[in-house]
Amino acid sequence: MDNITSLLGGFGDVLSPINLLIALLGVTVGTAVGVLPGIGPAMTVALLLPITYGLEPIQGLILFAGILYGGMYGGSTTSILLNTPGESSSVVTAIEGNKMAKSGRAAQALATSAIGSFVAGTLGTLGIVFLMPPVVKFAVSLGAPEYLAIILLTFTGVTAVLGASRIRGLTSLLLGLTIGVVGIDFVTGQQRLTGGLPQLADGIDIVVVAVGIFAVGEALWVAAHLRRKAGEVIPVGRPWMGRKDWSRSWKPWLRGAALGFPFGALPAGGAEIPTLLSYTAEKKLSKHPEEFGHGAIEGVAGPEAANNASAAGTMVPLLALGLPTNATAAIMLAALQGWGIEPGPLLLNKEPELVWALIASLFVGNTMLLLLNLPLAPAWAKLLQIPRPYLYAGILFFASMGAYAVNSQPFDLWLLLVLGLLGFAMRRFGLPVLPLIVGVILGPLVERQGRRSLQLTGGELDGLVGGPVAWVCYVLIVLALVWPLVSLVRRRRGGSGTGGRGPDDRGPDDLANARAGYSMNSSEA
């Protein structure tokens, strides 16, 4: 009952005219950027990060929450109408959704996607309400060694498990950790990796890093592969579903939500794996398996529900542990730190109004999104006809303005260009962006926790291994690193190879490659 009472208090904070307007702005902008290929929620949050520092923390988080959910909604529109996922988590939706659109059922595909997103988002947000307080109580009991092990597990999750390859994921993480240690050592007071430049003594601001890697890097990549002609959009009327469509969709919605939320709530979670599992499950459970690969509505309903439930689940480790599991959550973490708020186990006790207002805003934004997406789907589709040169020129302008506004120093603009070139190079060589951002944000934290762990035992390595939680985390890390080798040996012994896969039989490797290089696919659309 305490959770419900706190949630009602959160609704009291959100249901004010100005906060409702901010929520509406967030879901509208989020949907718009989700529709546009190559522009995801993470880039939008990065661009708006400097602006939100002038808002109250509650208002800034309401805006970000709307963008997060709106981007998930909008990404399905691009996948269905253009066969071009704006986010790697929308890859599975494109398999059946675009086939439905090409067969004249775009309206039904968009409808089951929007309603499934609403159902899963609502169930996922309810999961936050009841799951987060117990997680917080558990996290308060953890010491520095346990917290260090959990962060290392997060590093493993965003690199070895979900990256295009483990080498590339670890390379990206090391780049992020290197950027994160630039500045003055908080223990010795010595400058590190500053090159004698006084502007780097305070470190590189996460706003500049996020805007440079996401916005500038993406714009440069699109410019290098630019087609001035907009993609050909499949015409769509107002989304609707018949009785048969409802009967075939409601069970996949629930199963997708049940699969997506736990993966999002894990410190090493993500949306790609549950969307793939949902697609596979629906293909096996469907009474019409012959339609899969030709436009089965279950193949849209289930993965989209899993995608949005996973997005809701990412709020649990972010708020309870201070650990982001996707790029958007990582930038939200940076925003909290910019407001002087330290996410983690004590956040719910120190800032309960902020936390419960954010959760309440997820309910409000989810409802707004359903009301926006069903009647306005044809209008969102017209956004796909914006010429790419105008679109990305505007992104570069706002990126430069946002980076300059952080410290009002011309040096930050040069730094922005360097980071933009780094982001371009990462896309060129298939390095995932998320490990870098996570490394920049969590790098100082893992250093602090590691030093504390060693100080507890006078420098003995035993201090890095605490109680059972740390042991479990280290075992999971070893399994995540060793399991691919075991699988490779088993495949070679079985001689199964990779033959026999059809063009629509996409596996985890396809999704992992999409996660690292989804912007490549979307920009060439």
Side-chain angles (χ1 to χ4, degrees), residues 277-353:
L277 291 177
S278 175
Y279 181 80
T280 305
E282 297 308 325
K283 189 174 182 179
K284 291 183 177 180
L285 296 173
S286 175
K287 296 179 180 178
H288 308 276
E290 71 282 355
E291 292 187 16
F292 277 78
H294 304 282
I297 194 169
E298 296 92 340
V300 178
E304 269 304 296
N307 185 14
N308 281 265
S310 176
T314 59
M315 293 292 107
V316 175
L318 175 65
L319 297 175
L321 300 173
L323 300 177
T325 59
N326 61 28
T328 309
I331 301 173
M332 291 176 68
L333 176 61
L336 287 170
Q337 293 173 341
W339 285 310
I341 299 171
E342 191 62 37
L346 300 180
L347 179 62
L348 190 59
N349 293 329
K350 292 182 177 179
E351 302 284 347
E353 296 85 2

Side-chain angles (χ1 to χ4, degrees), residues 356-369:
W356 289 108
L358 171 61
I359 296 174
S361 71
L362 294 176
F363 284 105
V364 174
N366 205 31
T367 305
M368 287 182 174
L369 280 166

Side-chain angles (χ1 to χ4, degrees), residues 9-386:
F11 276 111
D13 293 329
V14 172
L15 297 178
S16 65
I18 182 64
N19 287 345
L20 286 175
L21 183 61
I22 290 174
L24 179 62
L25 175 64
V27 298
T28 304
V29 171
T31 305
V33 299
V35 167
L36 295 171
I39 307 178
M43 182 195 292
T44 309
V45 172
L47 285 172
L48 294 178
L49 193 54
I51 300 174
T52 57
Y53 287 154
L55 299 174
E56 295 292 328
I58 288 179
Q59 296 173 342
L61 286 179
I62 289 173
L63 181 68
F64 288 159
I67 292 172
L68 174 63
Y69 269 13
M72 297 297 176
Y73 273 72
S76 62
T77 301
T78 310
S79 300
I80 291 169
L81 300 183
L82 274 183
N83 197 27
T84 305
E87 290 281 315
S88 58
S89 55
S90 299
V91 170
V92 179
T93 302
I95 299 175
E96 302 298 331
N98 188 249
K99 297 287 177 60
M100 289 183 66
K102 287 181 177 179
S103 63
R105 287 172 51 81
Q108 289 81 358
L110 290 172
T112 192
S113 170
I115 298 173
S117 297
F118 169 77
V119 171
T122 302
L123 293 175
T125 309
L126 283 173
I128 300 174
V129 172
F130 294 104
L131 182 62
M132 192 183 64
V135 173
V136 168
K137 290 181 180 179
F138 168 73
V140 170
S141 64
L142 300 179
E146 289 79 14
Y147 214 76
L148 172 67
I150 293 175
I151 297 175
L152 293 177
L153 178 61
T154 302
F155 285 163
T156 305
V158 299
T159 55
V161 177
L162 301 178
S165 74
R166 284 146 192 85
I167 298 298
R168 291 175 180 174
L170 290 172
T171 302
S172 177
L173 177 64
L174 289 175
L175 287 172
L177 293 174
T178 302
I179 296 173
V181 300
V182 172
I184 298 177
D185 190 308
F186 66 92
V187 175
T188 65
Q190 299 294 317
Q191 292 191 12
R192 301 184 297 190
L193 303 180
T194 61
L197 296 173
Q199 294 92 338
L200 294 178
D202 291 332
I204 302 177
D205 196 285
I206 184 60
V207 175
V208 180
V209 176
V211 172
I213 295 296
F214 281 106
V216 179
E218 177 70 16
L220 292 175
W221 177 257
V222 171
H225 300 80
L226 188 62
R227 290 184 180 181
R228 295 183 177 273
K229 180 182 177 183
E232 296 183 5
V233 184
I234 298 174
V236 57
R238 180 165 296 183
W240 62 277
M241 293 175 63
R243 181 177 298 178
K244 183 179 179 181
D245 297 324
W246 280 94
S247 65
R248 292 180 59 177
S249 295
W250 70 272
K251 289 182 180 178
W253 291 338
L254 297 179
R255 285 192 289 261
L259 280 171
F261 182 79
F263 275 91
L266 290 173
E272 290 84 351
I273 293 177
T275 53
L276 174 65
L277 291 177
S278 175
Y279 181 80
T280 305
E282 297 308 325
K283 189 174 182 179
K284 291 183 177 180
L285 296 173
S286 175
K287 296 179 180 178
H288 308 276
E290 71 282 355
E291 292 187 16
F292 277 78
H294 304 282
I297 194 169
E298 296 92 340
V300 178
E304 269 304 296
N307 185 14
N308 281 265
S310 176
T314 59
M315 293 292 107
V316 175
L318 175 65
L319 297 175
L321 300 173
L323 300 177
T325 59
N326 61 28
T328 309
I331 301 173
M332 291 176 68
L333 176 61
L336 287 170
Q337 293 173 341
W339 285 310
I341 299 171
E342 191 62 37
L346 300 180
L347 179 62
L348 190 59
N349 293 329
K350 292 182 177 179
E351 302 284 347
E353 296 85 2
L354 177 70
V355 173
W356 289 108
L358 171 61
I359 296 174
S361 71
L362 294 176
F363 284 105
V364 174
N366 205 31
T367 305
M368 287 182 174
L369 280 166
L370 183 65
L371 299 178
L372 279 174
N373 275 267
L374 287 179
L376 298 181
W380 296 128
K382 290 182 179 179
L383 289 176
L384 296 168
Q385 300 172 356
I386 296 177

